[in-house]
Amino acid sequence: QQLVVFKYIMAASLELLSWVCSLAAIGVFLAPLGIVQAWLRASSTLAYSPLPYLVAASQCVLWAAYALVTPEREPVFWTNVVGLVLELGYIYVFMKFVPTTDKPEAQKAAGAVAVGTTALLAVVKYLSMGDPARLSSLMGTAAAAVCICMYGAPMSVLATVVKTRNVAPLPIGLISMGAVNTALWVWYGTCFTPADMSIVVPNALGLVLSAGQ
């Protein structure tokens, strides 16, 4: 009876943690709203690049696909569905207000990311050779790789920050939110037996990079 109670408590704790992780991730997805509001006020994208939003959307697609082929990953699926909707909204606003001279380049970038994501999904499906476990592993690897690229992108401005001694390009609020989010997902990933390394590894690296920033 004690074992049954213990298992119930553990299951309930994992359920609670999954909700907390989802809310933290959605908080990160909502972070660009301030930038989007600035685009709306200025009727311009203010020299911002669409790439972060395009790659974020690609990441959401890959994580949702991973969750679909991996048992007991519903929180991962629904969190990334919400994230995908938000990212597509940001991309829509960007494409609406991007200067005419920059629109062809933005459209090419969007097309390249869409084709690349579709191709990656097709390659993963092909390499899985019909094995569900292999499909889950490969899809997790693909999602983790894109996730690591996302977490590492802000490191590119560190040289500028050090040179100018201006930390404006590294907003502490967003970095702190990202650190909390990655820490929670590392915790979530370690709750499975065995640990879900597709979730643990990229978020652990993301936590280290956030600390460095």
Side-chain angles (χ1 to χ4, degrees):
Q1 185 177 2
Q2 290 179 341
L3 181 59
V4 172
V5 172
F6 176 76
K7 288 183 177 180
Y8 175 80
I9 292 174
M10 292 301 295
S13 298
L14 180 59
E15 180 73 14
L16 177 60
L17 177 60
S18 69
W19 277 101
V20 174
C21 289
S22 295
L23 290 174
I26 291 171
V28 174
F29 287 133
L30 288 170
L33 276 177
I35 295 173
V36 174
Q37 288 175 342
W39 296 345
L40 293 171
R41 286 194 298 267
S43 296
S44 169
T45 52
L46 306 172
Y48 278 88
S49 169
L51 200 56
Y53 314 101
L54 294 170
V55 177
S58 173
Q59 175 190 240
C60 289
V61 170
L62 292 171
W63 278 122
Y66 168 70
L68 282 174
V69 299
T70 308
E72 301 179 356
R73 299 300 188 275
E74 289 82 3
V76 177
F77 175 77
W78 290 112
T79 299
N80 284 281
V81 167
V82 173
L84 179 60
V85 170
L86 290 171
E87 297 298 340
L88 290 176
Y90 303 152
I91 293 167
Y92 171 79
V93 176
F94 185 96
M95 292 300 179
K96 183 175 181 180
F97 290 110
V98 66
T100 305
T101 54
D102 297 332
K103 182 165 287 188
E105 185 177 347
Q107 291 174 334
K108 287 179 182 177
V113 171
V115 171
T117 303
T118 303
L120 184 56
L121 288 169
V123 169
V124 167
K125 178 68 173 176
Y126 174 77
L127 292 177
S128 69
M129 297 181 291
D131 182 349
R134 183 177 175 83
L135 176 61
S136 173
S137 176
L138 289 172
M139 194 66 74
T141 300
V146 176
C147 187
I148 289 171
C149 291
M150 282 289 298
Y151 287 143
M155 300 299 287
S156 62
V157 304
L158 281 185
T160 303
V161 170
V162 172
K163 183 178 180 179
T164 62
R165 296 184 179 276
N166 177 18
V167 296
L170 293 174
I172 188 63
L174 182 58
I175 293 172
S176 300
M177 185 185 300
V180 171
N181 178 58
T182 53
L184 286 168
W185 282 103
V186 169
W187 185 8
Y188 175 80
T190 58
C191 289
F192 294 96
T193 305
D196 189 332
M197 301 310 292
S198 295
I199 294 176
V200 171
V201 171
N203 283 288
L205 183 56
L207 179 57
V208 171
L209 293 174
S210 294
Q213 293 169 48

